Amino acid sequence: MERPLFSFTVLPLLLLALRSLVLMSRAWTAPNCTIGDSSLLPNISYYIPFCPLAPGLHLFASCSNVKDLAQTLRAVPRDTEALCLQGTVPILPADAFGHLPTLQLLRLRLGAVRITSGAFQGLDQLQHLSFEHAPCCLSLFLSPDALEPLRFLNTLSFQGYCMNYSQNVQLPINLSRLTLRDSCLTELQELQRLFPNLVSGSSPTASPSPWSPFLEVLDLSANLQLNKVGGRALHGLQLHSLRLDGTALSALDLRGSGLLHLDSLYLVGTGAEKLPGNVTAYFALRTLDLGRNQIRNLEDGDLLSCRSLEHLSLHANGLQLLPPSFLSALPQLQRLNLSMNKLGPTLVLPEGLVSSNLRVLDLSHNELCTLPCRAFSSLPQLQELWLSGNNISNLSSESLEGLRWLKTLDLSWNQIKMLMPGWLSSLPDLTSLNLLGTHLEHISGRQLQGPQKLSHLQLGSSKMLEIYPPWPSSLLSLELQAETLITFRVLSGEPFLFLENLTLQATYVLLNPDNATLLFPSLRHLTLRGCSPYIFSHQRVFPQLPLLEHLHFWSDHNGAENLHLLGMPRLRVLELGDLDFLYNPVSVKLEMLLKELPQLQVLALSNLNFRNLSVSSFRGLGLLRLLLLNSEWALGLDSSLQELIPQMPQYVYFSDITFTCQCESSWVGPWATRAPNTFVYGLEKSICKANASDRSKTPLLSFLSDHCSHDPEFQAFLTSFTLVLLLTFLALLSCPKWPWLLHLRTLCHAWWWKWGGQHPRNQFHYDVFVSYCEQDQAWVLQELVPALEKPLPDGGGLRLCLPERDFGVGQDRINATATSMESSRATLCVLSCQALGSPWCNLELRIATHNLVAKPGTACLLLLFLEPIDRRQLHSYHRLSRWLQKEDYFDLSQAGIEWDAFCEQLRKRLRKAGQERED
């Protein structure tokens, strides 16, 4: 039975590895549920976060266009940990998700829906549940006891739903975060009717349960009609955080809400014109966010009421100055966000008492032009200073004097044209410096002297950038950006010894002098954006990268024939994009590009115009697990790729691919639906074109099913088989004694027995015929045979046929092999590199393959791999892949295989094979 078409997007923990592609923003995909008409069926995507450096995979399924919930959920794997459903489902019935016991996250976008009692029964591990709809508002009915089975639910979210018809809903006692956004909520007191066990003193009329102040975060943002609190609406609650962003609720009303405790209050975009000092003092708030409001002035009285604040955000309020008492009025303040205000052009921080607790100050986008001497002297404990997006042009050591403990300094996107000598001398503890988007053109390592631990450096220029040694000795991460040219002035003996991450964004990267060489002995992650492929041609910028694991190279230049990825023996993740192969007169072969990358596990290729992929493109990439092809035009998939099916990467992702309409690719559909070890994404959305002028958008799978209904090779096989059968029949007719009648009668007799439900049970002398080579004989006799022949219940109780043991002396081995396979319920081939080199093992595999093809339904072949094998070496593997199922493969070469579990699985398959053949 064929499975539905599965597609996958790998969303790796590897978001870092493929961050620039939609995939990375993972994931894997999965099935479109059908290759034919899918208008009534859901589209399903499986996202498996995958990282070659981290063990374990986590399955996330996303289903859209859902109309029949039961049919959709049958296609979702049982071990799915996260599930998103989008469509139109009017009701969630009882035990809807009962077969998904490992589910931890459930996101539902099902329109107006009714949740019945027991709908979430069996979801004992569910931690996050979300109901979403945009825009507001659809009706959502939740039965009072619908959430009771979710004992470990941590997060519950309703977005875009009106819940006017729901009441007395019992919240799980372990719930820590409740979100009710974009709803019809008009006053907070409605929460008592909706969730009676949220606050104390409520008397639910159904499903009563003891009240407990369990909630930590209550998010009521974007409720545009919420403007009233109501008497004691939050009575007894002790919240860590309350979010009222985008509401019309007056913060002052919270004092009468009955709320016992509150640490953090978020009032972003509420139209506030002054600090809610009374509320801050009443709850002794530690965090207050008033961003995107209309607070133009800060009153001393309001500030005195905010003495408990540790974090204060006033971004985007239009502030023009700070009152003199600002710092002294907020003695506990640790983080202050004043970004996107109008405090410039000259920064004036209030004088007075020194703020000994402020650790983070954000003054980005404040129209600052100059920093006066000792501008931050009143902030001696400051560790992070953000000055991005201002008009600062000059810096001196006096400007930053007093910041003895500063670790992070962001001066990006300012008008800085030069750096004064010693400007960092007053920052000995600095570890991170950002100078991107400036007008610096010449930077010497001496200009960065002062900090002893500078490890993260970002430098940028609007035109050209030239850097000189000595490089900071502790540098771990370096990012350089220029519009046209980056030049390294290299002296002998000046390598980047400890640099692990390097990012270069420019058209050209040059070395001066020409015979110089850059050395990066510790580099692990390299990102190149917009660079010419010539950067790899002369092997002087990157001669050897012995520890490099991730290369991200996006360019918009031609000349890709000069791209040679050498000296990267540990490279595991490779991203290539926009190398302009389309207009390149010399076609670059993928096999030449990747031949020196034996450890590659993730390969993402975008807009490279390969035109054709063949088996030679992936030679030597035995460890490849994820293949992503994005934005390709007129891509052809050579039929030779069928030979690679056993070695195909575990995850294959096609995104925005236009294929060529050719029947040579007719193997793609069956491969995507039946390949036992590979999951494929994107074929159901792909189109194909007959030629360059073809403007039709023919779906690839529709073309293959309509115009290439049969595999050409299989058609040839059927034709030749029919001719042989016809010639044999004519030869039998010429026999004078008509012996063929006897054979015909025997066949009819066997058919009659089967049709009548009867069959001879004694036609098999053996359960399994075992094929193996001489080098594997010891393992077969010592491990495999005892496990299968040992009597039940400890063993399989099977009768094996071993050529070395059971063939008679002097018996013709070929005839004995054919006869023994015919009288065995199944044939088991033990495969290793030595077995593939054995003439007898190859012959036995050919006989078994012939029986499998010529006698479908009556022959069974099982393959047992003892070690990793290039499966292109298997005889007629294109036939085997068509006839063998996933459970017919057993791989002992994989790490972590338990012997007892393997033996039990093998015994079950052998018993099933015997039963199928008898039937």
Side-chain angles (χ1 to χ4, degrees):
M1 178 180 178
E2 292 186 0
R3 69 169 186 261
L5 178 62
F6 283 81
S7 21
F8 288 78
T9 308
V10 175
L11 257 174
L13 299 171
L14 195 85
L15 288 178
L16 296 176
L18 300 179
R19 62 192 178 284
S20 59
L21 303 169
V22 175
L23 160 75
M24 296 308 138
S25 49
R26 315 161 202 192
W28 261 123
T29 23
N32 192 354
C33 289
T34 179
I35 296 180
D37 180 16
S38 60
S39 59
L40 300 179
L41 294 176
N43 300 318
I44 301 183
S45 299
Y46 296 156
Y47 300 85
I48 300 182
F50 158 73
C51 178
L53 306 179
L57 300 178
H58 305 282
L59 191 61
F60 165 55
S62 177
C63 312
S64 60
N65 193 29
V66 177
K67 296 181 180 178
D68 188 328
L69 183 65
Q71 180 186 18
T72 300
L73 294 181
R74 280 195 294 269
V76 176
R78 180 180 176 83
D79 56 347
T80 299
E81 295 183 12
L83 174 63
C84 293
L85 299 177
Q86 181 176 358
T88 305
V89 176
I91 186 170
L92 278 185
D95 201 30
F97 307 95
H99 76 292
L100 301 172
T102 62
L103 207 60
Q104 298 182 34
L105 182 149
L106 179 59
R107 178 183 175 191
L108 303 174
R109 306 188 66 178
L110 301 177
V113 61
R114 180 184 181 91
I115 314 298
T116 62
S117 299
F120 302 117
Q121 193 69 38
L123 297 181
D124 296 333
Q125 299 185 33
L126 194 69
Q127 299 179 30
H128 309 281
L129 175 60
S130 172
F131 300 88
E132 299 178 12
H133 174 72
C136 180
C137 294
L138 281 183
S139 175
L140 172 68
F141 175 79
L142 205 63
S143 64
D145 58 348
L147 303 177
E148 286 188 358
L150 308 178
R151 296 177 297 167
F152 298 103
L153 192 68
N154 181 267
T155 302
L156 177 61
S157 175
F158 302 91
Q159 299 187 45
Y161 278 103
C162 269
M163 303 181 68
N164 294 337
Y165 298 104
S166 299
Q167 60 182 352
N168 298 328
V169 178
Q170 297 299 307
L171 294 174
I173 202 66
N174 286 312
L175 194 70
S176 65
R177 184 183 183 99
L178 174 63
T179 299
L180 201 65
R181 297 172 59 99
D182 290 300
S183 72
C184 301
L185 202 64
T186 59
E187 59 179 280
L188 290 183
Q189 201 166 25
E190 295 177 24
L191 294 175
Q192 294 184 7
R193 174 190 58 81
L194 185 57
F195 305 115
N197 65 334
L198 177 65
V199 297
S200 64
S202 301
S203 301
T205 57
S207 302
S209 62
W211 171 86
S212 176
F214 47 84
L215 207 62
E216 293 184 5
V217 179
L218 178 60
D219 186 351
L220 301 175
S221 301
N223 284 285
L224 303 181
Q225 303 177 44
L226 180 60
N227 55 17
K228 297 180 181 180
V229 172
R232 306 180 69 79
L234 303 178
H235 179 62
L237 272 185
Q238 301 185 46
L239 292 177
H240 171 73
S241 176
L242 175 61
R243 305 193 71 102
L244 297 172
D245 302 339
T247 67
L249 188 68
S250 173
L252 297 177
D253 295 339
L254 291 175
R255 297 174 59 183
S257 66
L259 189 62
L260 291 182
H261 177 77
L262 183 63
D263 281 335
S264 304
L265 179 60
Y266 297 85
L267 299 169
V268 178
T270 58
E273 297 181 354
K274 59 183 297 185
L275 288 176
N278 293 338
V279 176
T280 305
Y282 181 81
F283 292 109
L285 291 178
R286 297 167 59 188
T287 300
L288 179 61
D289 191 343
L290 291 163
R292 292 192 289 109
N293 280 297
Q294 302 173 29
I295 303 175
R296 302 290 186 262
N297 299 295
L298 299 176
E299 303 293 338
D300 291 340
D302 295 332
L303 287 173
L304 291 175
S305 302
C306 298
R307 296 179 64 85
S308 61
L309 286 180
E310 297 178 4
H311 305 153
L312 174 62
S313 177
L314 293 168
H315 70 279
N317 269 278
L319 286 172
Q320 296 184 2
L321 58 89
L322 300 177
S325 61
F326 184 77
L327 292 178
S328 58
L330 304 173
Q332 306 298 323
L333 198 62
Q334 297 181 21
R335 303 178 67 94
L336 176 60
N337 185 353
L338 296 173
S339 62
M340 303 178 67
N341 283 288
K342 299 177 180 180
L343 297 179
T346 301
L347 176 64
V348 178
L349 288 180
E351 299 179 357
L353 295 176
V354 171
S355 178
S356 59
N357 286 307
L358 195 64
R359 301 294 192 272
V360 179
L361 175 60
D362 191 346
L363 294 170
S364 303
H365 302 281
N366 265 285
E367 303 177 3
L368 300 178
C369 295
T370 60
L371 296 179
C373 292
R374 300 181 60 83
F376 305 98
S377 60
S378 59
L379 308 173
Q381 300 298 322
L382 201 64
Q383 296 182 7
E384 298 181 22
L385 179 58
W386 305 83
L387 297 169
S388 176
N390 287 295
N391 297 314
I392 300 172
S393 58
N394 294 309
L395 289 168
S396 64
S397 60
E398 290 79 8
S399 302
L400 302 172
E401 190 172 346
L403 297 177
R404 174 67 178 79
W405 305 107
L406 194 69
K407 296 181 181 299
T408 300
L409 177 59
D410 186 350
L411 290 164
S412 60
W413 306 104
N414 278 283
Q415 303 298 317
I416 303 173
K417 297 182 179 179
M418 63 178 297
L419 299 174
M420 302 297 292
W423 73 287
L424 291 177
S425 59
S426 59
L427 307 177
D429 222 34
L430 193 69
T431 60
S432 176
L433 176 61
N434 188 346
L435 290 169
L436 292 176
T438 63
H439 299 281
L440 294 169
E441 294 187 359
H442 306 278
I443 299 179
S444 169
R446 292 185 175 84
Q447 293 174 302
L448 303 175
Q449 290 180 350
Q452 303 299 315
K453 302 176 183 178
L454 188 60
S455 56
H456 302 280
L457 179 60
Q458 296 170 279
L459 303 174
S461 174
S462 57
K463 295 182 180 180
M464 297 183 294
L465 180 63
E466 192 171 35
I467 65 171
Y468 303 78
W471 328 118
S473 59
S474 57
L475 205 58
L476 298 177
S477 174
L478 175 62
E479 180 174 356
L480 303 176
Q481 293 186 13
E483 184 177 337
T484 55
L485 175 65
I486 294 176
T487 302
F488 288 87
R489 291 279 184 176
V490 183
L491 301 178
S492 59
E494 292 286 347
F496 290 87
L497 284 178
F498 304 108
L499 194 68
E500 295 182 355
N501 296 282
L502 175 62
T503 298
L504 300 177
Q505 181 170 331
T507 304
Y508 299 102
V509 177
L510 300 180
L511 299 182
N512 195 336
D514 291 339
N515 58 354
T517 300
L518 278 178
L519 297 177
F520 300 95
S522 303
L523 198 64
R524 296 179 180 273
H525 193 295
L526 174 60
T527 299
L528 303 173
R529 302 192 188 102
C531 299
S532 167
Y534 286 96
I535 195 171
F536 288 106
S537 63
H538 43 66
Q539 291 297 301
R540 289 188 297 109
V541 178
F542 303 112
Q544 291 290 326
L545 299 173
L547 300 182
L548 191 68
E549 295 180 349
H550 185 158
L551 173 59
H552 171 99
F553 184 22
W554 283 65
S555 175
D556 54 4
H557 301 269
N558 55 20
E561 69 275 7
N562 298 298
L563 183 59
H564 303 289
L565 304 180
L566 305 175
M568 307 175 190
R570 294 193 181 183
L571 193 68
R572 290 193 277 182
V573 178
L574 174 61
E575 303 172 58
L576 295 176
D578 292 335
L579 292 183
D580 206 2
F581 285 11
L582 179 62
Y583 302 106
N584 191 359
V586 180
S587 178
V588 176
K589 301 297 183 182
L590 192 59
E591 59 270 21
M592 298 300 295
L593 198 63
L594 307 176
K595 66 177 181 178
E596 300 292 335
L597 306 175
Q599 300 297 319
L600 201 62
Q601 297 183 26
V602 176
L603 177 60
L605 306 171
S606 180
N607 196 24
L608 299 185
N609 242 336
F610 287 116
R611 299 184 180 88
N612 189 61
L613 287 180
S614 65
V615 68
S616 61
S617 304
F618 302 98
R619 282 210 171 94
L621 301 182
L623 300 179
L624 193 64
R625 298 188 63 187
L626 166 65
L627 173 63
L628 166 67
L629 297 177
N630 179 60
S631 298
E632 295 295 331
W633 170 265
L635 179 66
L637 299 178
D638 195 274
S639 59
S640 65
L641 282 172
Q642 297 177 82
E643 302 175 21
L644 193 66
I645 286 177
Q647 271 189 306
M648 274 286 189
Q650 193 172 358
Y651 313 125
V652 179
Y653 185 103
F654 296 99
S655 174
D656 191 23
I657 302 293
T658 300
F659 292 88
T660 55
C661 294
Q662 55 183 10
C663 286
E664 191 178 9
S665 302
S666 60
W667 59 275
V668 170
W671 161 64
T673 56
R674 295 198 297 262
N677 301 318
T678 301
F679 299 96
V680 188
Y681 167 79
L683 286 180
E684 74 282 357
K685 302 175 184 177
S686 299
I687 62 174
C688 69
K689 292 185 178 296
N691 49 59
S693 60
D694 183 8
R695 297 186 178 275
S696 63
K697 295 184 177 181
T698 305
L700 173 67
L701 296 178
S702 297
F703 171 82
L704 296 179
S705 61
D706 295 342
H707 299 84
C708 315
S709 55
H710 299 288
D711 186 343
E713 186 176 344
F714 187 61
Q715 277 188 328
F717 167 76
L718 290 179
T719 303
S720 60
F721 179 77
T722 304
L723 289 175
V724 170
L725 187 64
L726 180 60
L727 292 174
T728 304
F729 183 75
L730 292 175
L732 291 175
L733 284 177
S734 63
C735 181
K737 295 186 178 181
W738 303 90
W740 59 275
L741 287 176
L742 179 62
H743 295 285
L744 182 60
R745 186 178 65 180
T746 303
L747 290 174
C748 291
H749 184 64
W751 174 82
W752 176 260
W753 272 36
K754 184 174 182 179
W755 181 78
Q758 307 178 43
H759 40 274
R761 294 286 179 178
N762 59 352
Q763 59 177 313
F764 299 116
H765 298 298
Y766 302 101
D767 293 306
V768 187
F769 176 89
V770 184
S771 171
Y772 56 91
C773 67
E774 183 179 355
Q775 292 84 346
D776 300 329
Q777 182 175 353
W779 180 86
V780 171
L781 297 180
Q782 295 173 14
E783 301 288 342
L784 184 64
V785 172
L788 298 181
E789 285 193 336
K790 189 183 297 183
L792 297 170
D794 298 328
L798 301 175
R799 184 176 180 185
L800 307 183
C801 178
L802 307 177
E804 308 296 335
R805 182 187 69 182
D806 298 316
F807 284 4
V809 178
Q811 187 176 10
D812 183 83
R813 182 161 181 172
I814 296 179
N815 291 335
T817 298
T819 303
S820 299
M821 287 185 181
E822 185 67 24
S823 59
S824 300
R825 288 182 170 87
T827 299
L828 175 63
C829 292
V830 180
L831 298 178
S832 63
C833 294
Q834 295 88 344
L836 294 182
S838 168
W840 281 113
C841 287
N842 273 288
L843 177 61
E844 290 167 352
L845 181 60
R846 286 173 179 269
I847 295 175
T849 303
H850 169 76
N851 292 338
L852 188 68
V853 176
K855 304 175 181 179
T858 63
C860 178
L861 173 60
L862 308 178
L863 301 182
L864 172 59
F865 295 92
L866 293 182
E867 58 188 9
I869 292 177
D870 183 354
R871 303 191 183 179
R872 292 170 297 177
Q873 302 177 31
L874 294 183
H875 168 70
S876 299
Y877 190 77
H878 57 284
R879 297 190 189 280
L880 290 176
S881 62
R882 183 183 298 114
W883 292 97
L884 295 185
Q885 304 296 321
K886 181 177 181 180
E887 59 267 23
D888 297 334
Y889 295 89
F890 301 90
D891 195 350
L892 283 181
S893 65
Q894 298 180 359
I897 295 297
E898 294 185 7
W899 174 253
D900 292 338
F902 159 73
C903 291
E904 179 61 26
Q905 182 185 4
L906 179 60
R907 287 193 291 265
K908 286 182 180 179
R909 182 64 186 107
L910 290 172
R911 287 194 294 268
K912 178 182 177 182
Q915 184 63 36
E916 289 175 349
R917 187 165 180 185
E918 286 183 350
D919 293 341

